[in-house]
Amino acid sequence: MKLTASAGLRGTLTVPGDKSISHRAVMFGALADGDTHITGFLMGEDCLSTIGCFRKMGVPIETGEQEVVVHGVGLHGLREPEGPLYTGNSGTTTRLISGILAAQPFPISLTGDASIEKRPMGRIITPLREMGARIEGREGKFCPLSISPAALHGITYPMPVASAQLKSAILLAGLYADGPTTVIEPAPSRDHTERMLRAFGAQVESDGCRVTVHAPLALRATDLAVPADISSAAFFLVAGAIVPGSELTIQNVGINPTRDGAIEVLRAMGAEIAVTNRRDGAEPVADLTVRTSALHGTEISGDLIPRLIDELPALAVAAAFAEGETVIRDAQELKVKESNRITAMVNELTRAGADCTETADGMTIRGGRPLHGAAFESYGDHRIAMSMAVLALGASGESEILEPEVVSISYPGFFDALRQIGG
Ligand code: S3P
C-alpha cells in the first residue's frame, strides 16, 4: 500500500463498530435465552473469530453487513465442538471465552495464530484455577489451552494488571460459580462487560476498581446498538490534527469514560477536538470533530494508560509531530499486545526520522523533527499498520505500508476511508 503526503483531510465519516463491544455482544447473546439483535457490528477478523467459535459450539448466528442475530442457547446450552476452537489473532476471544469454557461440561482445547501463541495466558489460568477450573496451558502459560469440566466457586481476586480481558474472563466464569465473584483492579479498565451483563439482566455491582458478579439463573436476550470504535476513530483524530488544512468529523463514536483517554491526551497536546451530539445510552456516544492543530508534547502515564492502551501507537505518531518531548510511562502492557508495540513504534518512528527512545515501560519521543516517508513494517499488527499510514499522510514524500491487509483485524475498510477523506 503506497501513501503520499496529504494536503488536507476533510469530510465526515463513520468508522466501524467497537471491537470490544462486538465480541461481548456475540458471547453474551450466545449464553442468553432468546434472540439478540446487534446493529453496528464490527465485521473484522477478530469478531468473526468469536462468531466462528460459538457457531462451532452449536449457537446459530446470522450475519448481514453490520447486523448480527444471535439465537441464544442459554447459559447451559453450548455443545461440545468437533475439535479445538481457533481464536485467530484475537486476545479478547481467547481470554473471554476461556472464562466461559472453564464452566462447560465438556473438555475443549483452544488455539490461535502465531501471535496468540506468544501472548500471556498465565494471567487467566491462575484465577480460573483458583475458582476450581481445570485449565492447562503450554509451558503453563501459553496457548494452546486445554480445559476440562469442573465446578466453579466464587472468589475475590486482586488483579495484578489492569486488563479488561482478564477481568471479563473471571466475571464470565463467575456466571457459573456457586457464589459471588469479585475482582479488584489496580486501575479501572474498560467496563463494557459490566454494562452489557446488566443489559442482559445479570446482577453486577461496581465501585471504582471493585466489581462483583452474582451468578444468574439465566441471561435475557436484548437488542444492542454497537457504537463506532474510538480506537479506530483515534487514527482519524491524529490524522486530522497533524495534516495541515484538515477538518474531520467522526460520527457516533463510543465515548465511554473508561475508553476516552485519547481525547483527553490529544486535547492536552493542543488538539482542537469538539465533542457534539452526545447521547447517553448503555454506552455513551458522540460525534467528534478535529481540526489541524499545533501540537506540543505531554506525559501519558498512570491510570490514564488503561483508558487509551490501544490508542498509544496513534498517540505516539501525534507526539512525533508535536513540539517538545512526550513521555509514555507505565505502559509495559504494550509489549504483550498483537506485537511488542513499544519496540514496533520506536523502530518505525525512527525509520521516518523521528527522535525517540524505548524505555522499560514506554517510550520518549522528542517531536518536531521533519519526518519523511519510508517503507514501514506492520509487525502483523493492525494498529501499527494504521498508525504508520497516518504518519505517512503527515510526512514528506512517499511511503509504503508493508502487510497492509492486517488492518482487517479491526478495520477492514481503513484504506478506503483514508481515500474518501482525501488521503
Ligand atoms: C480489550 C482489552 C484490552 C485491549 C484489547 C481489547 C477488551 O486488552 O487492549 O484490545 O476487549 O477487553 P487487555 O485486557 O489485555 O488490557
Side-chain angles (χ1 to χ4, degrees), residues 111-131:
T111 166
D113 70 5
S115 152
I116 277 294
E117 293 207 346
K118 282 192 234 140
R119 297 183 68 181
M121 295 298 152
R123 58 179 62 184
I124 58 164
I125 293 175
T126 302
L128 291 176
R129 279 197 183 148
E130 211 175 290
M131 295 178 80

Side-chain angles (χ1 to χ4, degrees), residues 19-20 24 92 95 123 162-166 190 309-310 333 337 383:
K19 183 154 79 71
S20 294
R24 287 160 172 81
T92 307
R95 296 204 177 102
R123 58 179 62 184
S163 156
Q165 293 178 358
L166 169 56
R190 63 193 68 194
I309 185 76
D310 291 341
E333 277 293 298
K337 296 293 178 190
R383 298 202 201 281

Side-chain angles (χ1 to χ4, degrees), residues 1-64:
M1 180 65 59
K2 294 237 162 72
L3 292 103
T4 47
S6 176
L9 306 172
R10 304 191 78 84
T12 297
L13 73 158
T14 308
V15 301
D18 189 279
K19 183 154 79 71
S20 294
I21 297 175
S22 295
H23 281 296
R24 287 160 172 81
V26 168
M27 292 184 183
F28 304 175
L31 300 180
D33 292 331
D35 294 347
T36 290
H37 294 254
I38 311 164
T39 53
F41 187 84
L42 168 63
M43 290 293 170
E45 283 174 26
D46 269 11
C47 299
L48 296 177
S49 293
T50 292
I51 289 181
C53 289
F54 281 91
R55 279 186 175 149
K56 256 189 124 173
M57 291 191 286
V59 182
I61 303 176
E62 296 166 56
T63 55

Side-chain angles (χ1 to χ4, degrees), residues 7 43 92 109 118 123 143 149 179 194 196 228 235 257 291 301 333 351 416:
M43 290 293 170
T92 307
S109 64
K118 282 192 234 140
R123 58 179 62 184
C143 273
E194 297 90 302
M196 203 185 289
F235 298 110
R291 290 188 190 86
S301 61
E333 277 293 298
R351 203 189 293 281
D416 294 336

Side-chain angles (χ1 to χ4, degrees), residues 167-206:
K167 169 174 66 178
S168 302
I170 301 168
L171 295 176
L172 289 172
L175 295 178
Y176 296 90
D178 65 359
T181 298
T182 299
V183 293
I184 303 162
E185 294 195 90
S189 65
R190 63 193 68 194
D191 65 356
H192 306 303
T193 293
E194 297 90 302
R195 287 172 186 254
M196 203 185 289
L197 278 178
R198 286 190 197 108
F200 277 89
Q203 191 189 342
V204 182
E205 291 141 19
S206 40

Side-chain angles (χ1 to χ4, degrees), residues 408-422:
S408 58
I409 289 290
S410 65
Y411 197 156
F414 174 73
F415 291 106
D416 294 336
L418 275 191
R419 268 186 222 109
Q420 182 202 319
I421 55 168

